[in-house]
Amino acid sequence: MYIDGDVLELDIEMDLEEVKTLQLFIKDRLDYIEEIVLLRSKDGTPSTSALFSLLFWVKRKKPAIKIDFIDTMNLNLETYGMMNWIVHE
């Protein structure tokens, strides 16, 4: 996790404890974060679905925030291929 101004950069390989820490970090700073970027290496795979759940919660709380993979509705993971989803409101 790294914050540069109003952009929060996250490693896709965060474990559950790191995601819990991130949740506490974001709660107080959500008004100041404008964009969240997922960083991943070529072989990077998600360690837990908790990160995705948290990011979808963030997007629901602050719809104006830019989260590329949520805005495009897909995420290319080298190991698993392309993940696509549909959001129902």
Side-chain angles (χ1 to χ4, degrees), residues 42-56:
K42 183 178 180 186
D43 297 327
T45 56
S47 300
T48 176
S49 62
L51 176 60
F52 295 110
S53 296
L54 177 62
L55 293 177
F56 278 103

Side-chain angles (χ1 to χ4, degrees), residues 18-29 54:
E18 291 172 319
V19 173
K20 288 178 181 179
T21 303
L22 174 64
Q23 180 180 12
L24 296 174
F25 177 82
I26 287 178
K27 276 186 175 181
D28 298 332
R29 295 168 182 85
L54 177 62

Side-chain angles (χ1 to χ4, degrees), residues 6 9 16-17 22 28 33-34 38 48 50 57 63 66 74 77 79-80 84 88-89:
D6 55 356
E9 296 177 348
L16 184 56
E17 291 305 314
L22 174 64
D28 298 332
I33 300 170
E34 297 298 322
L38 268 185
T48 176
W57 173 83
K66 182 179 176 191
N74 62 53
L77 296 172
T79 305
Y80 297 110
N84 295 291
H88 297 285
E89 305 241 352

